Amino acid sequence: MELITKENSKYFYKSKYWYKITWYTFLWIILYTQVAKVLKTNAIIEALLVVLPIIGMYILVPAGIVYIIKSYVKKEPYNKYRAFYLFGFLFFLFILIAIMIFVAIDINRLSSRP
């Protein structure tokens, strides 16, 4: 059995990578929605530049959670950083669940109109 060291803790570094991508995607969504008001481009392009990153986050966050949990299971080093990334991914998961709830409420409200 090989000793897990800083150099070969692959799950931790994969989760760190997914976390960075998730954070940049989240920043893109927030900043682009603010800048899009000023740019006044085509509505379909604006929607794609917001919806596709959100869909991407629905892939990135569960993958990051899987990698950070594997890091815990394999007992890789960096305990305090693993907790930081785990809570970060759980924060993003909470945001994604809130988005799903709000979209479902909007669809329900719009479909119940006469």
Side-chain angles (χ1 to χ4, degrees):
M1 185 168 161
E2 128 183 30
L3 180 66
I4 297 175
T5 62
K6 178 180 176 180
E7 289 79 23
N8 65 356
S9 54
K10 62 182 179 180
Y11 295 119
F12 172 75
Y13 287 112
K14 285 182 182 180
S15 69
K16 184 177 176 181
Y17 177 73
W18 287 114
Y19 186 78
K20 283 182 184 178
I21 293 174
T22 304
W23 184 248
Y24 292 141
T25 306
F26 182 69
L27 283 175
W28 168 261
I29 293 167
I30 298 296
L31 294 176
Y32 184 75
T33 53
Q34 299 304 312
V35 173
K37 298 173 186 175
V38 177
L39 292 178
K40 296 181 181 169
T41 58
N42 188 355
I44 294 174
I45 293 172
E46 285 182 10
L48 286 176
L49 290 175
V50 173
V51 171
L52 289 179
I54 290 175
I55 292 172
M57 283 186 68
Y58 279 102
I59 297 168
L60 293 170
V61 171
I65 290 174
V66 166
Y67 284 130
I68 202 69
I69 289 174
K70 282 185 179 181
S71 177
Y72 271 105
V73 169
K74 298 289 184 181
K75 294 182 174 50
E76 294 180 342
Y78 306 107
N79 291 334
K80 63 180 179 181
Y81 296 115
R82 280 191 303 190
F84 171 76
Y85 290 120
L86 178 64
F87 288 122
F89 279 123
L90 291 176
F91 168 74
F92 286 124
L93 185 64
F94 173 74
I95 290 173
L96 293 177
I97 290 171
I99 289 172
M100 286 177 24
I101 290 170
F102 292 137
V103 167
I105 290 171
D106 282 347
I107 290 173
N108 188 22
R109 186 177 45 137
L110 290 174
S111 65
S112 66
R113 284 189 176 171

